[in-house]
């Protein structure tokens, strides 16, 4: 079975860290976001992964070599940022085979085997208190009746999480072609949600699958929250140096140095240095140095 993972975006909300690498390769709980995603799909029959690349695509190619014994990778460059629908379309084949689509900036905790075993199209959803901020689905019993993007008067609190099981690649491609041919855009982009709505109008059935935990990694605050959620113990790279320090919920990458510090819920990117500091809830950038700084714990 095939999975498509769009990872072409620049990740402006994670600058300056995303200037140096693809945002899906930023570490959380000791390994890249993309590694967490791949680890969750390797045991459910996914043996082919199409990665839609762009910004720092060479980094993505290099990283995926570490998974080459587990699955086959294909890389397709999205040369223009024309929307998520366009990105996914680049990875589709005109066949009736199913495909798993996963966004590259979130980690989903759910029953993956049950999800990819569905004979229906299925959309991963989770309940939210503020559905007007999300793309949502409206349902009748177990079937989706409407896809709505950020509704003013939401009739549902089921937000679209960013993981999709599509029973026919060809049918999704047909609906995307409908958007292209008729220049149907939302916020000046070809949206995957619009293509799914077209499939629905063409008679395709969609069910929902509940996401047990949607761990967003798209902004610094949620990346740090996900780091804290997933860490079972501190991750300290074997090539990092720690002296006389107290560490809690930290991911410390290679070539980092920590001396006389108290750190809580910190991600230190390669080459970073912290000396004589108290820091909490912070991403310390590549080769960045903090000296004599106290952010109250």
């Amino acid at each position: 079975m095939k999975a498509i993972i769009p990872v072409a975006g620049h990740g402006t909300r994670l600058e300056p860290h995303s200037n140096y690498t693809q945002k899906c390769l930023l570490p959380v709980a000791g390994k890249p976001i993309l590694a967490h995603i791949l680890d969750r799909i390797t045991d459910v029959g996914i043996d082919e992964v199409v990665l839609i690349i762009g910004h720092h695509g060479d980094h993505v190619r290099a990283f995926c070599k570490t998974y080459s014994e587990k699955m086959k990778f294909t890389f397709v460059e999205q040369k223009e940022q024309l929307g998520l629908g366009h990105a996914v379309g680049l990875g589709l084949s005109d066949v009736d085979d199913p495909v798993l689509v996963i966004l590259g900036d979130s980690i989903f905790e759910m029953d993956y085997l049950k999800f990819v075993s569905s004979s229906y199209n299925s959309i991963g959803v989770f309940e939210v208190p503020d559905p007007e901020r999300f793309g949502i689905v409206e349902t009748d019993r177990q079937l989706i009746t409407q896809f709505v993007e950020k509704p003013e008067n939401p009739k549902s609190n089921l937000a679209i999480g960013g993981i999709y099981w599509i029973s026919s690649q060809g049918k999704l491609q047909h609906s995307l072609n409908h958007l292209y041919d008729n220049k149907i855009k939302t916020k000046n982009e070809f949206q995957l949600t619009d293509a799914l709505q077209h499939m629905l109008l063409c008679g395709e059935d969609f069910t929902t699958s509940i996401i047990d935990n949607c761990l967003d990694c798209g902004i610094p605050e949620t990346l740090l929250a996900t780091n804290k959620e997933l860490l079972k113990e501190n991750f300290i790279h074997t090539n990092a140096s720690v002296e006389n320090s107290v560490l809690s919920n930290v991911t410390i990458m290679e070539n980092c140095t920590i001396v006389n510090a108290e750190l809580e819920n910190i991600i230190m990117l390669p080459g970073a240095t912290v000396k004589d500091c108290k820091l909490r809830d912070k991403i310390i950038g590549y080769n960045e140095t903090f000296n004599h700084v106290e952010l109250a714990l």
Side-chain angles (χ1 to χ4, degrees):
M1 290 188 291
K2 181 165 85 173
I4 298 173
I5 307 177
V7 290
H10 188 284
T12 54
R13 295 183 299 173
L14 282 165
E15 290 180 344
H17 316 301
S18 58
N19 291 336
Y20 300 98
T21 194
Q22 223 297 317
K23 66 176 180 177
C24 72
L25 298 180
L26 290 171
V28 59
K31 59 186 179 183
I33 299 164
L34 182 57
H36 287 278
I37 295 171
L38 295 176
D39 288 346
R40 283 160 173 75
I41 64 174
T42 53
D43 296 329
V44 297
I46 301 297
D47 55 9
E48 178 187 359
V49 176
V50 180
L51 286 144
I52 312 304
I53 59 173
H55 177 65
H56 284 308
D58 54 331
H59 293 191
V60 177
R61 289 176 183 269
F63 169 76
C64 287
K65 290 180 181 178
T66 62
Y67 279 80
S68 59
E69 294 183 0
K70 298 180 179 179
M71 51 187 63
K72 173 187 175 183
F73 290 96
T74 302
F75 304 92
V76 181
E77 184 178 1
Q78 187 184 26
K79 296 181 180 179
E80 294 182 87
Q81 299 290 304
L82 298 178
L84 178 59
H86 175 258
V88 171
L90 294 174
L92 294 171
S93 302
D94 190 14
V95 295
D96 277 332
D97 297 338
V99 64
L100 175 67
V101 178
I102 312 178
L103 302 193
D105 58 1
S106 293
I107 301 166
F108 302 104
E109 302 283 12
M110 63 186 302
D111 188 339
Y112 281 85
L113 184 58
K114 181 180 179 181
F115 190 56
V116 302
S117 298
S118 175
S119 57
Y120 291 98
N121 302 294
S122 191
I123 307 299
V125 299
F126 61 104
E127 294 185 354
V128 295
D130 48 355
E132 63 276 0
R133 292 182 51 242
F134 297 85
I136 68 160
V137 296
E138 296 176 5
T139 61
D140 181 6
R141 297 183 182 137
Q142 295 182 347
L143 292 179
I144 295 174
T145 58
Q146 184 87 3
F147 293 90
V148 187
E149 185 64 32
K150 296 182 180 179
E152 290 185 6
N153 299 297
K155 298 178 182 179
S156 162
N157 69 339
L158 294 177
I160 300 170
I163 181 167
Y164 314 80
W165 175 248
I166 305 300
S167 62
S168 169
Q169 296 182 56
K171 289 179 179 178
L172 177 55
Q173 186 64 71
H174 171 78
S175 287
L176 285 167
N177 289 339
H178 172 77
L179 301 187
Y180 305 151
D181 293 344
N182 294 278
K183 296 181 174 55
I184 298 173
K185 295 183 179 182
T186 300
K187 295 183 178 178
N188 204 36
E189 292 184 333
F190 294 110
Q191 300 292 352
L192 180 59
T193 304
D194 290 336
L196 299 177
Q197 178 65 20
H198 183 262
M199 289 179 67
L200 190 67
L201 293 174
C202 289
E204 286 294 300
D205 288 329
F206 285 83
T207 63
T208 58
S209 293
I210 297 298
I211 298 170
D212 298 320
N213 200 357
C214 183
L215 300 169
D216 180 56
C217 301
I219 61 176
E221 292 81 4
T222 59
L223 186 68
L224 286 164
T226 294
N227 181 66
K228 188 174 183 178
E229 176 84 11
L230 292 178
L231 272 176
K232 294 180 173 61
E233 58 184 23
N234 292 329
F235 174 86
I236 302 173
H237 195 280
T238 54
N239 290 335
S241 173
V242 180
E243 297 180 21
N244 191 35
S245 297
V246 178
L247 309 179
S248 175
N249 295 316
V250 297
T251 289
I252 311 299
M253 301 308 292
E254 64 268 27
N255 303 318
C256 288
T257 300
I258 304 171
V259 180
N260 298 326
E262 291 184 36
L263 305 182
E264 180 181 336
N265 197 28
I266 297 292
I267 297 175
M268 288 182 67
L269 302 181
T273 298
V274 171
K275 293 183 179 180
D276 304 311
C277 292
K278 291 184 178 182
L279 301 173
R280 181 177 64 187
D281 299 331
K282 187 167 183 61
I283 302 171
I284 301 173
Y286 291 90
N287 300 312
E288 188 174 5
T289 297
F290 272 75
N291 277 313
H292 299 90
V293 175
E294 182 168 337
L295 299 181
L297 292 175

